[in-house]
Every structure is written in structure tokens, then in C-alpha cells.
Amino acid sequence: MSNLRIFAVNHKKISSLHINNMCSSKIRASLKRLRLRALLGRNYSSLPGLIGNDIKSLHSIINPPIAKIRNIGIMAHIDAGKTTTTERILYYSGYTRSLGDVDDGDTVTDFMAQERERGITIQSAAVTFDWKGYRINLIDTPGHVDFTLEVERCLRVLDGAVAVFDASAGVEAQTLTVWRQADKHKIPRICFLNKMDKIGASFNYAVESIREKLKAKPLLLQLPIGEGKTFKGVVDVVSKEKLLWNPNSDDGKDFERKPLLEMSDPELLKEITEARNALIEQVADLDDEFADLVLGEFSENFDLLPAEKLQTAVHRVTLAQTAVPVLCGSALKNKGVQPLLDAITMYLPSPEERNYEFLQWYKGDLCALAFKVLHDKQRGPLVFLRIYSGVIKRQLAIHNINGNCTERISRLLLPFADQHVEIPSLTAGNIALTVGLKNTATGDTIVSSKSSALAACRRAEREGEKKHRQNNEAERLLLAGVEIPEPVFFCTIEPPSVAKQPDLDHALKCLQREDPSLKVKLDPDSGQTILCGMGELHIEIIHDRIKREYGLETYLGPLQVAYRETILNSVRATDTLDRTLGDRRHLVTVELEAKSLETSSLLPVIEYAASVAEDLSQASREAIENGLHSACLQGPLLGSPIQDVAITLHSLVIHPGTSTAMISACVSRCLQKALKKADKQILEPLMNLEVTVTRDYLSPVLADLAQRRGNIQEIQTRQDNKVVIGFVPLAEIMGYSTVLRTLTSGSATFALELSDYQAMNPQDQSTLLSQRSGLS
């Protein structure tokens, strides 16, 4: 009993001593931290907005100043290390407690089951975190060509991008594609040469490939210390400091930054001084303000130029997109990621530094772009919005200009990959996740109300009149959406039973809204549902998602290539439609001519003879064009769409009282008659192919491509490998990944991208037609 009393007294002493020693402000801060965590309902290792042990107000955490926001994307070729780099960024910023690995399937941004199984990114994922007082909204994008649309729609709403390169390969096929997409949206970017620890990594080779293939001017802000197995750190060219990572550190947090000294590193200091002088001269050539500064105060000695002045000039040059800063490191070995984060905040623009012309018309009213839709089983459609101006709040009614409808946002969330934090409001420059928007789709423009849209339209009109520009009213208001590529593969999809057909239709409708590059159509002859996608992997993933997410065991038919058809000569046809429905007589007589076009055009080019154009009403004109377009959807050979055709309407006689539907039907039937008489040609999709293979296996790969009707353009040397670049028909490349693995013992990789449609030769065309008709 006495022992218990002594323990109780000692415990009281310790408790009172502990409370006396804790200052009251710390208690308040602890309580505030607990309250904040309870409010947000998630236990983070550090909340967004918390740096060290500082606690900020909830408002500053959710809505930081716009100058402190960075909306960036990570883009690259397959396997350059995008997701691993993102994972390290999240770890060092304090968002995650442990380092995820793509191979282990435990990364934050690859949260879909299919992504974790395959070790690839399929859907872009948004993550929000803070770094040294800056709010960074980061989007990890896919590298596979089948998911190019994911990259496109994310780049549309970003202010800057980090292009990740494999230092042993430099610029690869998909790197060129994403770089062109970034050029199209005028996005400033920085380059990160990853995998510097890989055998065969070469900093100089990678930089030279950026200069030659991307036609960009690289600004070397860092140089590596060693390459391959000897890589241990980087040298900061701007500040003349070396950054060395502790080899015994498991997570890469432990590194030291030392200034270069004449005593300890004379050779390295000389090399870095030369590199810094070259960098200063390069930036001075591109930026007049910096050139004046250098020539004025520091012309005698570049060493006296402060690092801050050089950093500001590099920031301006990056924004102007006249050059790209280059950094290096190894994300997998946890080296060089923290300086990359510093470079993102230092050189990439904030939302207010990007010049968006349409913002002046909204005058601070809400203007946002829906760039991605996800379906959640509990919450329904989740719509990602980039807010360009104004404020979004929960329970806010918004107007969708594209859909011309008003909806209400029920909840507002901050996206952390597949986990979300609910918030009351969000200001311009941020990326939000909204619940409750049932009709909003990818590419829709969101404003606060219809009256706000009309007011913005009037301001745009006045501005247009001043500058003598005539734009369509709606075009001025609508933010540019996303260009959706045409699918190249299709196959039939069947539910397990007729009773499950409505469930399959619902699943496909949800998946189409999420992924606009997926097209679903109904075969008019067989009544089967046809799935159209961007590639084998794309359709395979959709099939898998229907099974896992919607619980449907569907059956896929064999994959078919999306051919197109055209005609080779000029043909005329006449048709008369004479029907009596009730007491009304519908009579139409049409004469038209179809001929081939020199230039490529997916839609038919429609012309009218002078005698026809004079008396044609707008309703009749629309009916004619609808009929011609519908006739071009199914060609006479394979039922594929017709392209590269010009149609001239020579004569049109319409009986009074004839309906527009009858005009459409007659014109459509007449064109089909003309197409059947013409000399017809099948066009097949041609793919750009790039195969990276070791010298030992080059011969069997070339022999196999020759059998596949491949056309080799060139064979490049990349370090110890050979890169075969050429064209190959899509029909011949199905299942190629398995064959290539077998031929090269798993050592080769390849990348595909749609190039164009080309005419098939007569022999291949007749073989294809025999197969389709079941004769071979």
C-alpha cells in the first residue's frame, strides 16, 4: 500500500513538473493541432500548410496566397521514373511516412488495382502538398501512348511541368509526344535527368538529346558528381555548392550542402566556375534585363554576380519558354529530389504569372474548367476543376456554359490521390474536387451564373470591336476544351446475360464520362455493343475495370482495326424518292457527283451547283448535309467511315410539302449508290514504331518487322543499344509485345504512336476482304 502511495506522489510530482515546464502557448498549439486534425478527419504525418511545428490558420492552409501556388505536372516516356519521383516528393514534403515503390505496388498516386498490378500509371492523379511555404498541386501523368488523352487534359490546366528523362536513354518516343503537347499549351517546364545511378547513364548524352531532338536550349543548373555506380551527389552551378547524400541514409533526407573551396576541390571548382560563366552568358543572350545587369556591374568578374540575380533571370527565361533549366538525380536512390522541389518553387510560374486573356472579361467572377471526371461508388461523379478566377464554395449553384445547365456543388474537397479532405471554399489558382455535379463532363466551362456569363460576353464583344475582331459569342466565353483523338481499335462486348445489359450500359456510360477517348456504339445490323479505344492495353484495362468495379463478367470479341475507306475516281448518281404518307406526297429527285480529294479530310467536303444553291432553304441545306454525313459513316467495302471525299450536288427537285427527313434519306441513298459504283480503296492506320534493342538481337527484330510489312526509316545508336525507327501497319503489330519479348529474351522495349492512314496495296486489300467475308 505504501509503495502505491509513493508511486502516486511521484506521479503527481512528475505531472506537475511537466506542466510547469510546458509553456502555455505550447499547450494551446497542441490543442489547436488536435482540433485541426479532428476537423480534417485524416491523420497526416504533416498537414498541408504545416512546416516543422508551426501551426497556421485553417484559411491559410486551404487558401494560400496565389503567388505561393504552383500547379505542375510530371510528364515523361514510359519507365522514366515519374511515379517514383512523385513518391519521393511526397515523402520529403512530409505528406507520407514511408517511401512507396512502384515494384511493391504501394505508391500514393498509382492507387488503382490495375496500376499496382502492372506497375504503370493509367489515370493521372492529383496530389496537394506544401514545400517551404509554397502550395504545390502536382499531377502524375501516364507515359503509355494508349493514355495520351490523360496527359493532354492535365496539361491543359497546369501552369508548369517537370519533364523526367532516363539519363541512359535521353529523349525517347513518348517524350517527344508529351513535349509537343506542352508546346501546344505553351507550358514552361524544367527537365529532371533521372536514373543517374543506372549503368550507362550519361549526363552529356541526355543533355545533347534534349538540344537536338526537342530543339530546346538546356540551362545546366546542376552537374552530377559521378555517373552510374559512382553517382553520389550533384553540384549547384548557380550557388557553387556541392550536395552530397549520406550513403548510410535509407531515405535520402540526410544530405549536406558545402560550398566549393580552392583548398579541397580545385578541379571541381574550376569546372563549375566555367559552367557558371557559360550559364550566365547563355541567360544574358536570352534576357535583355539580365544582359544589362551583367554588362554594367559584373562585366569584369562574373563570380561577384549574386545567385539571387541569376535565379530571377532563369525564372524569367523559363517563363518566356526560350530555354529549359536542367537538373539531375536518382529518385529511386533518393538523391536530387529536394533541389528539384526548390527549382519547382523558384523557376516555374504561379497562376498569376500565366497570361490568360479570358480572365479580363470575368472581372473576378467565378471561371473554372472541368478537366477530369471520376466515379465514386458512394459519392457519385467527382469532377476536378481548375479555378481561374473567383471563389468556389460548397452548396454553391454554378452554371455550365457547354451544357447550358445549372447545378449545385454539394461538397468541396482537396485531392490527395485517392484520399480527400473536405474544405469550405477554394480560391483562384487552385485545383478543386467537387461532388454533386451530375451533368458536367471533361472540357466544360463553369461560371457562377448565366448572367455572369452574359456580362463576360458583353465585355468580350466590346474588346473585340476595339480590336476589330469578329469571334463567335460562345467561343469567346468557352475555355478551350480537350482534343479527343479518334480510336484505332474496336471490339464487341457482350454482357453475361440479356438481363445484365442495362448494368453494362450504365458501366460503359460512367467509364465514357471518365475517359472521353473511349467510344461506345451500337452495331445497327447485329445489335451488338462495340467498344472503340486507343490500343490493346486501353481496351484490356476497360474490360478489367468493368469486372472489378461493376462486378460484370463481360465477353470481348476479337480486336478489330479501325479501317477507313475512300474512292479513287469521280462518279455521278441520280435517285428519286416518292412516298405518300397519309394524305401527303413526299417527292425528291437528286443528282450528285462524288470525287476523291487531294488533301486529307475526315468529313466530306460538300459543294452546291449555282442553280441548286439559289433556291435552297436553311432547313433543306441542313437535311442534305445530315444525309451526306450519315452515308459517309459506312463505306461499301467494310462498313468503315469514308474520308477524303468531295461531293457536289448538281440537281435537287423537292415537291412542296416534302419533309426534311425524306430529303435526308434520298440524298443519303443517292450517295451510297454513287460510292458503290466508284473504284474503292481501303485505308489502314499506320503506326510510328520505335524499338530499342541491344546489338545482339538487332537482326531478328529487323527480320520480324520485314514480315510485318514494316518500313524502316533509320537505325540510331543510343549508348550500347540500337534504336529502330520506322512505320508499321497497326493490323500487323497486334500482340507484338509478346513476340518482341520472345525474340530478344525480354531485353527490348518498343513505343507506338498513330502516324496516319495509308492506302493498302491491292493484294493486302483483297486478302482482308476475303477474311471479312469468311472466304479465307
Side-chain angles (χ1 to χ4, degrees), residues 453-466:
L454 291 170
C457 188
R458 282 193 292 272
R459 289 185 203 113
E461 273 178 348
R462 285 197 294 271
E463 188 67 28
E465 282 162 14
K466 281 181 198 169

Side-chain angles (χ1 to χ4, degrees), residues 154-203:
C154 293
L155 288 178
R156 172 67 190 81
V157 296
L158 296 174
D159 300 318
V162 177
V164 180
F165 297 80
D166 180 340
S168 65
V171 174
E172 298 172 87
Q174 194 65 8
T175 318
L176 279 163
T177 305
V178 294
W179 196 269
R180 281 197 298 268
Q181 287 174 310
D183 280 340
K184 185 168 85 176
H185 296 295
K186 297 183 173 60
I187 290 177
R189 64 217 84 149
I190 56 181
C191 299
F192 179 61
L193 304 184
N194 191 25
K195 304 192 179 186
M196 283 302 303
D197 61 309
K198 191 176 171 182
I199 295 169
S202 168
F203 182 81

Side-chain angles (χ1 to χ4, degrees), residues 446-492:
I446 304 297
V447 293
S448 54
S449 65
K450 201 166 189 175
S451 58
S452 158
L454 291 170
C457 188
R458 282 193 292 272
R459 289 185 203 113
E461 273 178 348
R462 285 197 294 271
E463 188 67 28
E465 282 162 14
K466 281 181 198 169
K467 295 184 179 177
H468 307 291
R469 286 191 310 212
Q470 289 298 313
N471 286 355
N472 183 321
E473 220 175 85
E475 278 176 13
R476 286 202 201 90
L477 282 180
L478 294 175
L479 306 184
V482 181
E483 283 180 30
I484 296 163
E486 285 296 312
V488 290
F489 269 118
F490 65 91
C491 67
T492 56

Side-chain angles (χ1 to χ4, degrees), residues 28 31 82 168 188 228 232 240 244 254 294 331 348 369 383 403 469 488 499 530 543 585 738 754:
R28 279 199 302 273
L31 288 171
K82 295 178 296 298
S168 65
K232 55 185 177 181
K240 295 211 285 195
L244 293 172
D254 184 12
V294 170
L348 290 178
L369 180 73
V383 181
R469 286 191 310 212
V488 290
I530 296 172
H543 183 226
R585 187 184 181 199
T738 311
L754 180 65

Side-chain angles (χ1 to χ4, degrees), residues 74-365:
I74 303 251
M75 57 181 207
H77 185 80
I78 312 145
D79 286 340
K82 295 178 296 298
T83 303
T84 305
T85 304
T86 306
E87 200 61 33
R88 299 305 181 263
I89 284 172
L90 291 176
Y91 180 70
Y92 297 131
S93 62
Y95 171 68
T96 52
R97 288 181 183 275
S98 60
L99 288 167
D101 196 306
V102 174
D103 296 333
D104 296 340
D106 58 357
T107 58
V108 172
T109 51
D110 284 357
F111 54 85
M112 282 170 62
Q114 293 88 342
E115 293 178 313
R116 293 189 164 183
E117 281 174 9
R118 296 163 191 266
I120 60 168
T121 302
I122 293 166
Q123 280 192 347
S124 52
V127 280
T128 300
F129 60 91
D130 279 21
W131 178 257
K132 297 184 179 177
Y134 286 85
R135 161 63 46 82
I136 299 176
N137 297 314
L138 182 145
I139 295 181
D140 177 28
T141 63
H144 201 283
V145 70
D146 284 24
F147 310 109
T148 302
L149 182 74
E150 276 291 314
V151 184
E152 175 83 18
R153 63 179 174 180
C154 293
L155 288 178
R156 172 67 190 81
V157 296
L158 296 174
D159 300 318
V162 177
V164 180
F165 297 80
D166 180 340
S168 65
V171 174
E172 298 172 87
Q174 194 65 8
T175 318
L176 279 163
T177 305
V178 294
W179 196 269
R180 281 197 298 268
Q181 287 174 310
D183 280 340
K184 185 168 85 176
H185 296 295
K186 297 183 173 60
I187 290 177
R189 64 217 84 149
I190 56 181
C191 299
F192 179 61
L193 304 184
N194 191 25
K195 304 192 179 186
M196 283 302 303
D197 61 309
K198 191 176 171 182
I199 295 169
S202 168
F203 182 81
N204 292 336
Y205 170 78
V207 169
E208 199 54 41
S209 74
I210 290 171
R211 188 179 285 117
E212 282 181 16
K213 293 183 181 177
L214 301 178
K215 302 293 182 276
K217 292 179 180 171
L219 302 175
L220 306 186
L221 305 186
Q222 290 179 350
L223 292 179
I225 301 173
E227 286 177 350
K229 287 185 177 178
T230 61
F231 177 69
K232 55 185 177 181
V234 298
V235 181
D236 188 330
V237 174
V238 177
S239 61
K240 295 211 285 195
E241 294 174 318
K242 65 177 179 180
L243 286 74
L244 293 172
W245 273 259
N246 184 347
N248 300 320
S249 169
D250 290 335
D251 61 4
K253 279 189 176 179
D254 184 12
F255 69 96
E256 55 180 346
R257 185 185 281 268
K258 290 181 182 173
L260 288 171
L261 301 170
E262 185 74 49
M263 301 279 289
S264 53
D265 301 293
E267 286 182 17
L268 190 57
L269 180 63
K270 186 185 174 187
E271 186 188 343
I272 294 305
T273 304
E274 286 173 6
R276 190 175 192 265
N277 292 347
L279 176 66
I280 290 168
E281 286 172 14
Q282 201 177 352
V283 175
D285 285 344
L286 300 167
D287 186 81
D288 293 341
E289 189 183 329
F290 184 67
D292 293 342
L293 177 76
V294 170
L295 293 171
E297 297 177 44
F298 306 103
S299 56
E300 298 300 318
N301 189 355
F302 284 172
D303 290 347
L304 299 175
L305 180 76
E308 295 76 28
K309 299 279 187 190
L310 182 51
Q311 285 164 350
T312 307
V314 171
H315 176 75
R316 284 198 301 270
V317 165
T318 308
L319 256 61
Q321 294 166 60
T322 47
V324 286
V326 176
L327 299 98
C328 61
S330 169
L332 188 66
K333 294 293 193 289
N334 314 317
K335 293 182 177 79
V337 178
Q338 295 95 327
L340 174 64
L341 275 166
D342 292 336
I344 287 168
T345 58
M346 210 179 293
Y347 303 122
L348 290 178
S350 67
E352 63 184 358
E353 287 177 303
R354 294 297 304 280
N355 182 27
Y356 297 111
E357 189 187 355
F358 58 83
L359 288 186
Q360 60 185 332
W361 306 326
Y362 284 94
K363 300 285 185 190
D365 281 349

Side-chain angles (χ1 to χ4, degrees), residues 565-566 630-642 675-676 680:
E565 298 177 31
T566 190
S630 66
C632 287
L633 290 175
Q634 283 197 308
L637 288 175
L638 296 172
S640 301
I642 297 277
L675 293 173
K676 279 177 184 169
K680 296 167 284 290

